[in-house]
Amino acid sequence: MSRLTRFLAPTTVARAHCDIPCGIYDPHEAETAAKTVSKMVELINGLEGDDTAARNKFARCVKVKEEHAEKVKREVQIIWSDYFKPEHLETYPDLHDKVWKLLKLAGKNKQNVDAEAASQLEASVKEFSEIFWATKK
Amino acid sequence: MSRLTRFLAPTTVARAHCDIPCGIYDPHEAETAAKTVSKMVELINGLEGDDTAARNKFARCVKVKEEHAEKVKREVQIIWSDYFKPEHLETYPDLHDKVWKLLKLAGKNKQNVDAEAASQLEASVKEFSEIFWATKK
Amino acid sequence: MSRLTRFLAPTTVARAHCDIPCGIYDPHEAETAAKTVSKMVELINGLEGDDTAARNKFARCVKVKEEHAEKVKREVQIIWSDYFKPEHLETYPDLHDKVWKLLKLAGKNKQNVDAEAASQLEASVKEFSEIFWATKK
Amino acid sequence: MSRLTRFLAPTTVARAHCDIPCGIYDPHEAETAAKTVSKMVELINGLEGDDTAARNKFARCVKVKEEHAEKVKREVQIIWSDYFKPEHLETYPDLHDKVWKLLKLAGKNKQNVDAEAASQLEASVKEFSEIFWATKK
Amino acid sequence: MSRLTRFLAPTTVARAHCDIPCGIYDPHEAETAAKTVSKMVELINGLEGDDTAARNKFARCVKVKEEHAEKVKREVQIIWSDYFKPEHLETYPDLHDKVWKLLKLAGKNKQNVDAEAASQLEASVKEFSEIFWATKK
Amino acid sequence: MSRLTRFLAPTTVARAHCDIPCGIYDPHEAETAAKTVSKMVELINGLEGDDTAARNKFARCVKVKEEHAEKVKREVQIIWSDYFKPEHLETYPDLHDKVWKLLKLAGKNKQNVDAEAASQLEASVKEFSEIFWATKK
């Protein structure tokens, strides 16, 4: 993020994430996690050879892919169930279904090493994030 | 559970819970967790005095209430997102909304010490469980 | 579980699991975890090929096998140490040794991909569960 | 964050956080965690009365404060030890000491309910974040 | 530990703890955890006043007491189930029962703030540790 | 550790580790964790064949190596940030840099299966431990 952009960004925006509730919600972690899934798929597909070093890296990348696909699920579920209110659903009547499909897509990314599925996951989280921010305007 | 009932119960029923997917799903843990939330509310409300022993127990019960309300959320989310398929939604078109409200109710049980809310949570998990088992018939 | 059986089962049975103690004990999770270990062994042994998809699945199944063998250990240890009382040991004088061997068997299932060991683990947990329920009658 | 600002922000910036290394680093989580610590201090200090509801909230806020102060420590340590290279230290020769003091400050926030210390923690994390982003230019 | 003693101690002694098995066992963590439980009881009993600072510290000490009593249980269970072999039981036929009582004592320390129980836990872990080291001679 | 040495060792030495602060610090866990990393590298390099058993063991050893390299990082960071005071830094002015390099070395051990790097990690943790104990004299 450029310095300019970061200075433009207000730092007092409220976010919610801990069910206190504390009002500090932010889909940023879910977006980073989705990017990490993509990166892991890229690293796994770029592995060459089958020696110990390659296998060590493969095992680690699968683990990180798994954890970050899970993180996508958790972060999105938290915002969906804790932040969104009935009035938001009137504006976004298919929010439930979008979330449901997003979670399924995260599961698909656990089960496969699939650049296309990872890309779709990034896009779905981005869309979810945009809906979130639109309700904050 | 009586011994009779337990012997009647088939032990080969498949359940799913780990996103492999392994086909081993079971809402039993969510039900136990909801009961635990209720039990904690009962224990907290039954506490007498304000000495160290009472405060130690209070702190521990709040912690267990928190963890088990969270467990309800996680277990239900897993079955909802991993097990349920589009064809189930045709039969239960309000499943998404039921799950959403159930998760909110779990959050409410974290935020309060409320026997009524705990009882509603048990009922909601039971209803979710019944829908699950109905789709397995 | 059939609907009939489930309606026959009393829902007010107390179980214990959290060291509060809350009186909510239930070996059900240990049984599900043992079944999951078996399922993982079956999935691993059924894997064909050695491409990225197969290796991704292998790594994930080993992880789930590990976690659920650990879960068997934890759940059984909790019931053994928290629920069982000296009077139960009079009726089941070899309970300690059964638990010790069961935990060792869970370790063996971590260390190997062995359908026979997995089957023995399921049987051991089932036996432990039956002892538990017999003391509740 | 305003929509305008968000659209200005490039979305392809690489961040690192998992020791693969994956190149996906981002101090955003540490900043959010520090804000959460502040928010908890504010909520705790705003509590009135001493009934069960107030005590439930107190216990939960302390727990979240603890976890997020710990998260600050972990996130900052990861970026410090995994991302920063010897050449960065030439430009920021007191980085080690800043990090050390920041971690101590996070510990102080666990040990106290202190709005001033929470505010200092937010400022320290912000400064750390600015150093991080300056090295990415 | 004095510098002299530490230099006398051989550093190549094998210990086991991870079910690989890796042969790296060591009851040291259980002993430290038991000492921590004692320390928490001491800190809790030494608390004065009932202001926010005292309550923050109380909540944190209960949490640490809980976690370290749990750590005692886990560390002892691991060594008991993974390290000890049938031949050790011939020499220590009451090992199972000692472990069972030790785990119950750890549970008692969770449920209470009791210096006497904490002292007993330390002694029990020390005795378990001595049995362990005696089998290594 | 020989029985003699263990009896010579005073058992009342204070250690600190939990940010209460409780005064119970001890680099022992970090040392054990570093040894475990070495042992995993040895086990991985000693693996023969490429069947399911070997792959199961490989996956498990990589996981334990990862977790214990992470444990080294966490334990060392805790002592560094919570125990060491400004006066210690006067005596050990390069402590910050030693810790920073130690954490990087732990990361290197995650990323590789490298006996030399594992040996260096053991030596670095031993040196850190010696500094710690020297400040306790």
Side-chain angles (χ1 to χ4, degrees), chain A residues 50 58 65-66 110-111, chain C residues 52 55-56 59-60 63:
Chain A
D50 189 32
F58 182 89
K65 175 168 74 71
E66 193 82 7
K110 290 183 179 180
Q111 293 155 27
Chain C
T52 297
R55 291 186 175 199
N56 181 60
R60 300 180 71 236
K63 178 176 179 282

Side-chain angles (χ1 to χ4, degrees), chain B residues 19-86:
Chain B
D19 225 345
I20 284 292
C22 68
I24 304 180
Y25 293 101
D26 190 341
H28 186 92
E29 289 200 32
E31 290 178 276
T32 302
K35 278 183 191 119
T36 306
V37 170
S38 275
K39 183 72 184 180
M40 291 305 113
V41 171
E42 183 189 323
L43 289 173
I44 292 170
N45 285 332
L47 276 174
E48 291 184 10
D50 189 31
D51 58 2
T52 298
R55 289 186 177 201
N56 181 60
K57 189 166 182 182
F58 181 89
R60 300 179 71 236
C61 287
V62 168
K63 179 177 177 283
V64 171
K65 175 167 75 69
E66 193 81 7
E67 290 170 352
H68 284 263
E70 182 60 34
K71 193 172 185 179
V72 167
K73 293 177 84 168
R74 192 177 62 241
E75 295 293 324
V76 167
Q77 174 258 300
I78 288 171
I79 295 175
W80 175 61
S81 68
D82 299 359
Y83 166 73
F84 282 106
K85 300 286 173 298

Side-chain angles (χ1 to χ4, degrees), chain D residues 2-115:
Chain D
S2 74
R3 297 292 291 167
L4 173 64
T5 314
R6 292 179 60 251
F7 273 94
L8 285 172
T11 61
T12 55
V13 168
R15 303 178 194 79
H17 56 87
C18 61
D19 225 344
I20 283 293
C22 68
I24 303 180
Y25 293 101
D26 190 339
H28 186 92
E29 289 199 32
E31 290 179 274
T32 302
K35 278 184 192 116
T36 306
V37 170
S38 274
K39 184 71 181 178
M40 290 305 113
V41 171
E42 184 189 324
L43 289 173
I44 292 170
N45 285 330
L47 277 173
E48 290 184 11
D50 189 32
D51 57 3
T52 297
R55 291 186 175 200
N56 181 60
K57 189 166 182 183
F58 182 90
R60 298 180 72 236
C61 286
V62 169
K63 179 175 177 283
V64 171
K65 176 168 73 72
E66 193 81 8
E67 290 170 352
H68 285 263
E70 182 60 33
K71 193 172 185 179
V72 167
K73 294 178 84 168
R74 191 177 65 240
E75 294 292 325
V76 168
Q77 175 258 300
I78 288 171
I79 294 176
W80 175 61
S81 69
D82 298 359
Y83 166 74
F84 282 107
K85 299 287 173 298
E87 57 266 33
H88 298 133
L89 282 165
E90 286 169 27
T91 315
Y92 300 97
D94 58 351
L95 180 68
H96 290 350
D97 207 55
K98 278 184 193 296
V99 167
W100 188 60
K101 283 170 181 157
L102 191 162
L103 300 192
K104 281 196 176 298
L105 194 50
K108 187 178 176 186
N109 274 280
K110 289 183 179 180
Q111 293 156 27
N112 300 279
V113 181
D114 178 341

Side-chain angles (χ1 to χ4, degrees), chain E residues 2-137:
Chain E
S2 75
R3 297 292 292 166
L4 173 66
T5 314
R6 293 180 59 251
F7 273 94
L8 286 172
T11 61
T12 54
V13 168
R15 304 179 194 79
H17 55 86
C18 61
D19 225 345
I20 284 292
C22 68
I24 304 181
Y25 293 101
D26 190 341
H28 187 91
E29 288 199 33
E31 290 178 274
T32 302
K35 279 184 191 115
T36 306
V37 170
S38 274
K39 184 72 183 179
M40 290 306 113
V41 171
E42 184 190 322
L43 289 173
I44 292 170
N45 285 331
L47 276 175
E48 291 183 11
D50 189 32
D51 58 3
T52 297
R55 291 186 175 200
N56 181 59
K57 189 166 181 182
F58 182 90
R60 298 180 72 236
C61 287
V62 168
K63 178 176 178 281
V64 172
K65 176 167 73 71
E66 193 82 8
E67 290 170 351
H68 284 264
E70 182 59 34
K71 194 173 185 179
V72 167
K73 294 177 83 167
R74 190 179 63 240
E75 295 292 324
V76 167
Q77 174 258 300
I78 288 171
I79 294 177
W80 174 62
S81 69
D82 298 0
Y83 166 74
F84 282 106
K85 299 287 173 300
E87 56 266 32
H88 298 134
L89 283 165
E90 286 169 28
T91 316
Y92 300 97
D94 58 351
L95 180 67
H96 289 351
D97 207 55
K98 279 184 193 295
V99 167
W100 188 60
K101 283 169 180 158
L102 191 163
L103 300 193
K104 282 196 173 299
L105 194 50
K108 185 179 177 186
N109 274 281
K110 289 184 181 179
Q111 293 155 27
N112 300 279
V113 182
D114 178 343
E116 177 60 25
S119 179
Q120 287 171 359
L121 184 63
E122 283 196 79
S124 292
V125 175
K126 192 174 192 306
E127 184 190 4
F128 177 77
S129 179
E130 284 169 355
I131 291 173
F132 170 79
W133 288 113
T135 65
K136 305 285 283 189
K137 278 191 295 196

Side-chain angles (χ1 to χ4, degrees), chain F residues 20-48:
Chain F
I20 284 292
C22 68
I24 304 181
Y25 293 102
D26 190 340
H28 187 92
E29 288 199 32
E31 290 178 274
T32 302
K35 279 184 191 116
T36 306
V37 170
S38 275
K39 184 72 184 179
M40 290 306 113
V41 171
E42 184 189 322
L43 289 173
I44 292 170
N45 285 332
L47 276 175
E48 290 183 11

